[in-house]
Amino acid sequence: MKKKKIIPAIIILLIVIVAGSCFWYFQYKKPHDEAVANFNKAVSALKESNKPLDEAVSSLKSVIDSKEEPLDPATLTTAKGKLSDAKKTEMKVPEMPKKTNDINAATKKISTIPDYSNIIATLSEAQTNLENSIKQLKQVTNPSEDFVVERLKQIKSISGVEAVTEKTDTNRLLNKNGGYTACVYFSSKKVKQDYVYGNTIAEKGTEGGGAIEVFASAKDAKKRESYLASFDGNGMMDSGSHIVLGTVLIRTSSQLTATQQKNLTEQISNKFTELQ
């Protein structure tokens, strides 16, 4: 009699266990597993979407971290700003919550794959501008005499060039401590050469058109420029216009008008910083 009572009880218990297991599986386990799978899938898609942006960010950051100085400081400032903006814009991969509803909510939030194409293009442009500016500064940092001569010859208004030697350098500054490493005089078509004393371009000096003085450091170039500035507006002692570009001192003749000096200086600056 007891056995007959025990068997139904066992059957009922088994039914309860099976029913409970089914309820737990379909109401909790299966939805949770599906939520986890969907979340992981969304995370993988987000990581894949973030990859091109991460690469662009890393590439620009490596240029910034190189500490190489650009000719135009604004390119570095812009690059840093664009890098910061990109990091803020990137959708971050979240930690997976524990509760099923929270997992589904997190999945929904990251399911819309962001389009970073414009941001990546902006980063690429900022990097190109920064890299080019770095190259430009290197180009005007103690350039060779050959470089100076070659670039001057590409300017239409310049009719001739002549580099000085230690023997022909009337300033006695070539290759001396704090002096220039190269000095190239040039004649301008806008200067009446018959009115300028001297038989050669070097003898006519800056008055014939101008001169390019190359220094080992920007400090030396600026020191020389300050010295020349002390003669500005001093009649026959006026040394013409003078600006420092990198470690290069660009000088133009006092025989030129202010506008002509400005235009010629810009032409030389542009040609010296042109990436050919």
Side-chain angles (χ1 to χ4, degrees), residues 130 205 234:
L130 177 57
N234 194 10

Side-chain angles (χ1 to χ4, degrees), residues 234-252:
N234 194 10
M236 294 182 64
M237 297 291 290
D238 190 340
S239 59
S241 72
H242 38 81
I243 68 160
V244 173
L245 180 67
T247 69
V248 174
L249 179 60
I250 301 174
R251 302 177 58 187
T252 65

Side-chain angles (χ1 to χ4, degrees), residues 68-106:
E68 290 192 276
E69 189 179 352
L71 179 65
D72 181 5
T75 59
L76 178 58
T77 302
T78 299
K80 288 180 177 179
K82 297 300 181 183
L83 188 65
S84 177
D85 291 342
K87 289 180 178 179
K88 292 176 183 177
T89 304
E90 183 178 43
M91 184 181 288
K92 302 297 186 292
V93 176
E95 291 288 336
M96 186 177 69
K98 293 182 178 180
K99 295 182 179 180
T100 302
N101 289 339
D102 293 339
I103 294 174
N104 288 331

Side-chain angles (χ1 to χ4, degrees), residues 22-276:
C22 290
F23 180 82
W24 171 81
Y25 177 78
F26 287 106
Q27 294 298 316
Y28 295 98
K29 182 69 167 64
K30 185 179 180 182
H32 184 79
D33 289 347
E34 289 177 349
V36 170
N38 290 335
F39 177 83
N40 289 333
K41 184 178 179 181
V43 165
S44 296
L46 179 58
K47 286 181 178 179
E48 194 64 27
S49 176
N50 283 352
K51 189 180 295 184
L53 179 60
D54 291 338
E55 290 174 351
V57 166
S58 177
S59 181
L60 178 55
K61 187 175 184 298
S62 67
V63 179
I64 294 174
D65 291 346
S66 71
K67 304 298 181 183
E68 290 192 276
E69 189 179 352
L71 179 65
D72 181 5
T75 59
L76 178 58
T77 302
T78 299
K80 288 180 177 179
K82 297 300 181 183
L83 188 65
S84 177
D85 291 342
K87 289 180 178 179
K88 292 176 183 177
T89 304
E90 183 178 43
M91 184 181 288
K92 302 297 186 292
V93 176
E95 291 288 336
M96 186 177 69
K98 293 182 178 180
K99 295 182 179 180
T100 302
N101 289 339
D102 293 339
I103 294 174
N104 288 331
T107 301
K108 184 178 181 181
K109 188 175 181 180
I110 64 174
S111 290
T112 302
I113 302 299
D115 181 7
Y116 296 127
S117 56
N118 289 336
I119 299 173
I120 292 173
T122 299
L123 290 174
S124 178
E125 181 182 11
Q127 180 171 338
T128 297
N129 292 339
L130 177 57
E131 288 176 332
N132 285 344
S133 191
I134 290 172
K135 291 176 183 177
Q136 287 175 319
L137 181 58
K138 288 180 179 179
Q139 210 161 259
V140 290
T141 298
N142 199 12
S144 68
E145 180 183 285
D146 289 342
F147 171 86
V148 173
V149 170
E150 178 190 354
R151 292 303 173 99
L152 287 176
K153 286 182 177 180
Q154 295 176 23
I155 299 173
K156 292 181 179 180
S157 63
I158 292 177
S159 55
V161 299
E162 183 180 349
V164 301
T165 64
E166 291 183 359
K167 289 184 178 180
T168 60
D169 179 24
T170 56
N171 295 318
R172 298 291 185 265
L173 293 175
L174 185 61
N175 296 326
K176 288 188 176 180
N177 186 31
Y180 38 69
T181 58
C183 177
V184 180
Y185 289 103
F186 58 87
S187 55
S188 169
K189 295 177 182 179
K190 297 183 183 297
V191 173
K192 294 182 179 180
Q193 299 299 321
D194 292 341
Y195 294 174
V196 181
Y197 176 79
N199 296 316
T200 66
I201 295 174
E203 286 179 355
K204 291 182 179 182
T206 306
E207 285 297 279
I212 302 298
E213 298 177 0
V214 179
F215 294 84
S217 69
K219 180 181 178 181
D220 289 339
K222 290 175 182 177
K223 183 178 179 181
R224 170 70 168 163
E225 197 271 338
S226 295
Y227 168 75
L228 295 174
S230 65
F231 298 102
D232 287 351
N234 194 10
M236 294 182 64
M237 297 291 290
D238 190 340
S239 59
S241 72
H242 38 81
I243 68 160
V244 173
L245 180 67
T247 69
V248 174
L249 179 60
I250 301 174
R251 302 177 58 187
T252 65
S253 174
S254 61
Q255 299 297 314
L256 297 170
T257 66
T259 299
Q260 289 173 333
Q261 288 177 335
K262 180 181 178 182
N263 290 340
L264 181 54
T265 298
E266 287 180 353
Q267 289 172 13
I268 295 172
S269 297
N270 292 338
K271 189 57 66 175
F272 278 24
T273 56
E274 183 180 303
L275 300 176
Q276 299 181 359

